[in-house]
Amino acid sequence: MKKQMLMVALIMVLTFVTACSGGTSSPGASNGGTNSNEAQGGTTSPPAGSEDAEVELRIMWWGDQKRADITNEVLKLFQEEHPNIRIIGEFSPATGYFDKLNTQLASGTAADVFFLGGNVVDYATKDVLLDLEPYVGNELDLSDMDEAMIEYGTLGGNLVHVSAGANARGIVINERLFEEAGMPLPEDGWNWEDYARISNEIASKLDGVYGSYNFTVEGMDIYLKQNGKQLYDMENNQLGFEEADIVDWFNFWEETAQGGGIVTPELAVSHPQGDTSKSLVVTGQVAMGLIPSNQLAAHQSLTEDKLTMVQVPRGEKGTGVVFESSQGLSGYAKTEHPKEVAMLINFFINDPEAAKILGNDRGVPVTAQNRALLEQETDEVQQIVYDYTSRVSEATKTEPFNVSYNMPGNTEFTTLAEKSVQEIGFGRKSVEQAVTDFYSGTVRIFNSNKQES
């Protein structure tokens, strides 16, 4: 009887142990998300509560598959150096990214680290971003970072954003089209009269070719800064321009379009300049356009025509262009692992191996050491980018301009501005009427979205 009871007890113990051992996941197991990737660590978890106890960080960014691949490669490298930190990467196309982020923030399920762009102000005012200042000098080293970039991410007295790359907007030039037209390439120092004349001239000399895209919307803040204004005066929490300040800008594009030098609105809709894969500069149908410098390589990879960049035409006070943040990293205010968040951000901007992997995909590195490192190993296209951004940086020493932030309600504003340009282009409104409606709409959008002081 005793033997039978002993056997029953033994069987129960073995059954319990087996049940407790089943169904656990290794640290590198996938969570099954279609746009989620985990850097494979392959390490066992240290005891809970120890300094090396495993933590899990989620990081989210937008971009194409190439950006996803190189970002995941950097995350894997980071995890190899910090085996107790398990990284889960999530990415999505630019379209829909911020809708996804906003939904996660509203539900309290946002990633520990996520990328933001010029709309960082919208998030800083919602108190959803982690203040990274306590970690500067320890987990986060900003000593080799451009001061302007640090200032860009410091909002409301808190460091809430660290730039991951810097760029400068400029005019991309299709050199083949100028050669076929027998025209010299534009150079830094030209003005808007030159731009209109050249656009119309090249269109008149080459069948089926336009001189330029219409970048009324993308270039508006540049134009305003060239004339002592700006779209958004963040310091005073107000619009930085009046209706009268933009009438000439809208007229410039309409008059140049009447001269034949600007892409038709129909083509602009089907081949938007913001979509590199559909760009008419790439297909050789447009000679010039406005792009961020970090997009030159993507344009060049899609065409055999040689491309280059020059500064935007000058206005009364200069070019209006600054060396600015392309996008950067922010921590989630509710993260349970702020120290590790700072460590991951630090790795992105300071590690030389990470810099080699990331290249200039998000803009040139924000630290001087990594810029020098990449410039030593750069190709011809990237050298054009380095030369261009260096010229912009030098110009701002004598002609400084404020860094630009997106205004509150920027998505609505951009939609309104693009609609206004189309209404002019398709002849539904005069320039004067379109500008009046655009400005009143901008005031309404701004007032309904701005944060009260």
Side-chain angles (χ1 to χ4, degrees):
M1 183 69 178
K2 289 182 178 180
K3 284 186 177 181
Q4 290 179 335
M5 292 179 65
L6 181 61
M7 287 297 293
V8 171
L10 181 59
I11 290 171
M12 291 177 65
V13 170
L14 289 173
T15 301
F16 176 77
V17 171
T18 302
C20 290
S21 300
T24 57
S25 300
S26 67
S30 172
N31 66 1
T34 55
N35 284 338
S36 179
N37 298 277
E38 294 193 22
Q40 300 299 312
T43 59
T44 57
S45 301
S50 71
E51 289 187 4
D52 294 325
E54 181 179 281
V55 300
E56 181 178 281
L57 291 183
R58 290 167 51 219
I59 178 172
M60 189 168 77
W61 69 93
W62 74 85
D64 55 14
Q65 188 59 50
K66 174 191 172 185
R67 178 173 292 172
D69 291 341
I70 61 177
T71 303
N72 278 314
E73 191 174 347
V74 168
L75 296 177
K76 182 178 180 181
L77 185 63
F78 174 82
Q79 188 164 279
E80 288 173 355
E81 294 192 15
H82 304 279
N84 65 305
I85 303 178
R86 181 187 182 200
I87 304 295
I88 298 177
E90 303 173 11
F91 79 99
S92 64
T95 304
Y97 172 84
F98 288 103
D99 289 337
K100 178 180 178 181
L101 176 60
N102 293 340
T103 298
Q104 291 181 348
L105 288 169
S107 63
T109 60
D112 301 273
V113 184
F114 44 83
F115 277 80
L116 296 172
N119 57 353
V120 62
V121 176
D122 290 338
Y123 295 87
T125 55
K126 295 175 182 176
D127 296 325
V128 295
L129 305 183
L130 175 68
D131 182 9
L132 294 163
E133 189 63 41
Y135 307 96
V136 174
N138 296 302
E139 291 79 14
L140 181 57
D141 180 9
L142 303 182
S143 60
D144 195 39
M145 189 173 177
D146 287 14
E147 188 62 35
M149 296 293 98
I150 299 174
E151 292 176 3
Y152 179 86
T154 304
L155 298 166
N158 298 324
L159 178 66
V160 295
H161 187 72
V162 176
S163 296
N167 62 28
R169 287 173 292 174
I171 304 299
V172 60
I173 304 288
N174 186 312
E175 293 192 11
R176 178 182 63 83
L177 296 179
F178 277 86
E179 183 178 346
E180 290 185 359
M183 297 169 59
L185 292 177
E187 297 180 353
D188 294 353
W190 55 336
N191 59 34
W192 290 106
E193 289 183 5
D194 295 328
Y195 195 86
R197 173 180 53 79
I198 292 170
S199 295
N200 290 336
E201 184 178 351
I202 201 167
S204 68
K205 290 184 175 181
L206 301 177
D207 290 337
V209 172
Y210 297 91
S212 173
Y213 266 107
N214 182 328
F215 48 86
T216 304
V217 180
E218 299 86 347
M220 194 180 304
D221 189 49
I222 292 174
Y223 170 79
L224 287 169
K225 286 181 176 177
Q226 290 183 352
N227 292 278
K229 304 285 185 174
Q230 58 185 330
L231 273 179
Y232 173 41
D233 180 357
M234 189 178 73
E235 183 178 351
N236 296 303
N237 193 28
Q238 63 185 22
L239 289 176
F241 70 105
E242 301 289 341
E243 179 180 335
D245 297 321
I246 54 173
V247 173
D248 286 348
W249 179 240
F250 277 80
N251 272 321
F252 169 83
W253 290 102
E254 175 61 9
E255 291 170 2
T256 309
Q258 292 298 322
I262 304 300
V263 173
T264 64
E266 294 86 356
L267 273 175
V269 169
S270 60
H271 295 79
Q273 60 180 335
D275 187 339
T276 305
S277 64
K278 296 180 180 179
S279 170
L280 296 174
V281 174
V282 166
T283 60
Q285 294 168 268
V286 173
M288 302 180 292
L290 179 71
I291 65 169
S293 56
N294 65 310
Q295 289 186 6
L296 180 66
H299 280 73
Q300 186 63 79
S301 69
L302 297 174
T303 180
E304 294 183 0
D305 296 348
K306 185 178 180 182
L307 307 179
T308 192
M309 289 190 73
V310 298
Q311 291 184 20
V312 298
R314 294 175 60 83
E316 180 182 338
K317 296 184 179 298
T319 65
V321 173
V322 295
F323 195 48
E324 58 190 354
S325 174
S326 56
Q327 56 179 267
L329 304 107
S330 290
Y332 184 30
K334 294 183 179 180
T335 180
E336 296 179 358
H337 309 291
K339 175 181 174 181
E340 288 78 7
V341 165
M343 291 169 62
L344 179 57
I345 294 175
N346 181 74
F347 190 81
F348 258 88
I349 66 169
N350 284 310
D351 188 85
E353 293 304 314
K356 290 179 182 179
I357 294 170
L358 294 169
N360 297 318
D361 181 71
R362 290 183 172 92
V364 299
V366 293
T367 59
Q369 179 178 331
N370 282 341
R371 281 202 298 273
L373 175 67
L374 293 197
E375 195 164 4
Q376 292 174 2
E377 304 176 2
T378 191
D379 58 23
E380 182 180 359
V381 177
Q382 294 298 348
Q383 190 59 54
I384 293 173
V385 174
Y386 279 112
D387 290 344
Y388 175 73
T389 52
S390 294
R391 299 200 308 272
V392 171
S393 181
E394 282 299 311
T396 57
K397 292 178 181 178
T398 55
E399 297 173 346
F401 294 94
N402 293 330
V403 173
S404 298
Y405 294 93
N406 289 351
M407 69 169 62
N410 183 69
T411 300
E412 293 178 76
F413 166 77
T414 301
T415 300
L416 173 65
E418 291 173 346
K419 178 184 177 183
S420 301
V421 171
Q422 289 179 359
E423 287 174 334
I424 295 171
F426 286 111
R428 293 195 288 265
K429 287 184 180 179
S430 66
V431 172
E432 291 73 17
Q433 185 61 54
V435 170
T436 295
D437 294 344
F438 163 70
Y439 187 75
S440 62
T442 297
V443 171
R444 175 185 55 77
I445 291 169
F446 181 82
N447 288 337
S448 63
N449 286 277
K450 74 175 182 178
Q451 297 292 320
E452 295 301 328
S453 302

